Amino acid sequence: MHSADLFARAQAVIPGGVHSPVRAFRNVGAEPFYVQSAHGSHLRTFDGVDLIDWVGSWGPMILGHAHPSVANSIRATLESGTSFGACSLPEVELSEEICRRNPWVEKVRLVSSGTEATMSALRLARGFTGRSAFIKFRGCYHGHADSFLVAAGSGALTHGHPSSPGVTADTAKDTLVAEFNDLDSVRAAFQSRPGDISCIFVEPIPGNMGLILPEPGFLEGLRLLCDEHGALLVLDEVMTGFRVGPSGAAGRLNIRPDLATYGKIIGGGLPLAAFGGRRDIMDRLSPLGPVYQAGTLSGNPLACAAGLALLRELTPEVYLRLETLGARLEQAIQAGIQGKPLQFQRIGSMATLFFHNGPVRTFADVDACDKEAFSRFFRLLLEKGHFLPPAQFEAFFVSTSHTEQEIDRLATDAIACAVAALS
Ligand SMILES: *Cc1c(COP(=O)(O)O)cnc(C)c1O
């Protein structure tokens, strides 16, 4: 049984053969491989190929695949049942751990996906403020709830329009799309709907248009604008939470959100996400308040046990190790791409190699990247045994299971493949 056979079977019963579109490898002109097993930093495919994994399930595998603590915790919990639809211990312990590590999270509610977390946080922000509109940024991803699948309108100041069929114009009109790293565009959005902006929703360090860093003063400016207009600041830390530091981007960059969303790492590789924040806002949720939100599998004991085991492993030494590995990779790649139309951006253990001349700081910069060259780069690197995200608009991840040798190998191979892809 090979990947090609499985993909053929999959395409007969699953749209595009995949349960999440990026897995189809369409952006990079390749066919997907099927994973047979994963341990540490390695994936083994059904074709018998061994790959070094730099995707890490898009974030959760910060300690590598099948980490013994996580696997043992899942195994032990499994023995006592997998779902009760009633209260259990792991949900309390995980919630305490999330609040302990993120002081601005005074109360938290667990859900099953990042999409559910952001959707619920948005409803809560609207319910709390009694306002309809909100501001998001072009290129930031907040899952696939209708309100977020909205692109900028034709004029920079107009309200958004649906970016997917099935999202109604009525829904999209309450989503205002501003430019990341451009406070003027945010001011303009506030002015276009006076007194009706419930919140700003932002990836504090965007990873979903490739890794973009917030410029000094930008996030601080968002905080001030929210305070000035009585809007809430919602940091979407589904990717950056527990990744760029023990208390995410908020802790690393010292920005205090009113609400924050988490996912990926906090489930330890099982379906789990969360939203939380100020007590007075969170207490507006049902059953204390009128804002409705619920979930049959919310706080699932297996997922909570996996997440808790993972979070307990994330010590200061782990973050130091990730920083060291990330810096080593950056140094090697920067040295090799000097003078070429390539740009490497990194924070901690998140990074992107852009096919772009000069710094990538806005969505327009990302959009101007050479995506054809990126496709060739992805395929060449895959042949050399590295699995990188199959799209230019993504960040890749270093885990503690990567060795110095693997970091050096990625640097050497990435430089060679990028240069080959350019010509
Ligand atoms: C992955 C991601 C989401 C969506 O999470 P899902 O679990 O895929 O629904 C939302 N926001 C950010 C910033 C993400 O990286």
Side-chain angles (χ1 to χ4, degrees), residues 113-116 118 141-144 203 208 236 238-239 264:
S113 74
T115 290
E116 220 187 323
T118 54
Y141 180 67
H142 305 291
H144 65 90
E203 284 184 81
N208 285 293
D236 182 355
V238 169
M239 186 181 287
K264 298 190 168 116

Side-chain angles (χ1 to χ4, degrees), residues 69-398:
S69 302
V70 178
N72 289 335
S73 176
I74 294 173
R75 222 173 272 123
T77 309
L78 177 66
E79 297 301 323
S80 340
T82 57
S83 178
F84 314 121
C87 303
S88 62
L89 174 62
E91 64 186 348
V92 182
E93 291 185 317
L94 179 62
S95 302
E96 286 171 345
E97 190 69 14
I98 293 169
C99 292
R100 192 176 68 75
R101 295 198 182 213
N102 303 277
W104 41 89
V105 181
E106 294 171 331
K107 287 196 176 178
V108 65
R109 183 157 281 177
L110 303 180
V111 294
S112 301
S113 74
T115 290
E116 220 187 323
T118 54
M119 178 188 82
S120 307
L122 178 60
R123 181 183 308 135
L124 179 57
R126 285 168 159 164
F128 179 79
T129 58
R131 302 172 177 189
S132 305
F134 80 105
I135 299 170
K136 75 177 282 288
F137 295 92
R138 199 150 70 108
C140 283
Y141 180 67
H142 305 291
H144 65 90
D146 285 11
S147 294
F148 296 106
L149 294 184
V150 172
S154 42
L157 308 185
T158 60
H159 54 66
H161 64 83
S163 65
S164 164
V167 176
T168 65
D170 254 7
T171 295
K173 78 175 178 12
D174 287 328
T175 304
L176 308 185
V177 184
E179 296 295 321
F180 195 81
N181 275 335
D182 178 358
L183 285 175
D184 282 340
S185 72
V186 183
R187 285 188 197 98
F190 271 110
Q191 272 152 25
S192 75
R193 292 284 283 272
D196 199 28
I197 306 288
S198 58
C199 65
I200 295 180
F201 228 98
V202 65
E203 284 184 81
I205 303 171
N208 285 293
M209 49 176 150
L211 178 72
I212 305 270
L213 296 173
E215 289 178 349
F218 177 66
L219 295 173
E220 292 82 353
L222 297 184
R223 178 69 271 177
L224 285 173
L225 281 167
C226 282
D227 294 343
E228 198 178 306
H229 292 275
L232 304 181
L233 180 62
V234 188
L235 296 186
D236 182 355
E237 297 236 44
V238 169
M239 186 181 287
T240 50
F242 303 94
R243 165 63 62 180
V244 299
S247 44
R252 185 164 178 147
L253 305 176
N254 198 23
I255 300 296
R256 196 179 177 91
D258 299 298
L259 291 173
T261 55
Y262 301 94
K264 298 190 168 116
I265 287 178
I266 63 165
L270 267 64
L272 191 149
F275 65 103
R278 272 168 44 192
R279 182 178 295 110
D280 59 325
I281 304 173
M282 293 301 289
D283 283 350
R284 300 299 287 164
L285 279 176
S286 189
L288 285 184
V291 179
Y292 191 69
Q293 190 277 333
T296 301
L297 291 177
S298 292
N300 175 266
L302 273 195
C304 289
L308 194 61
L310 182 53
L311 293 194
R312 284 181 175 156
E313 292 287 331
L314 297 179
T315 58
E317 295 73 45
V318 162
Y319 289 105
L320 205 61
R321 172 78 182 150
L322 291 169
E323 196 64 52
T324 305
L325 290 174
R328 184 184 179 102
L329 179 67
E330 177 170 2
Q331 240 174 22
I333 291 189
Q334 296 292 19
I337 62 172
Q338 289 260 333
K340 305 197 167 63
L342 295 165
Q343 171 78 12
F344 186 73
Q345 298 187 175
R346 174 191 75 91
I347 186 164
S349 53
M350 284 172 74
T352 300
L353 180 66
F354 291 101
F355 283 74
H356 189 270
N357 226 332
V360 179
R361 50 175 295 278
T362 65
F363 181 78
D365 295 335
V366 178
D367 211 30
C369 286
D370 184 344
K371 285 155 220 129
E372 286 302 311
F374 180 88
S375 295
R376 290 191 290 274
F377 168 71
F378 171 87
R379 295 193 302 263
L380 288 168
L381 212 48
L382 190 60
E383 274 170 35
K384 290 211 183 261
H386 299 277
F387 177 39
L388 243 70
Q392 173 74 93
F393 302 119
E394 303 287 356
F396 71 88
F397 303 101
V398 171

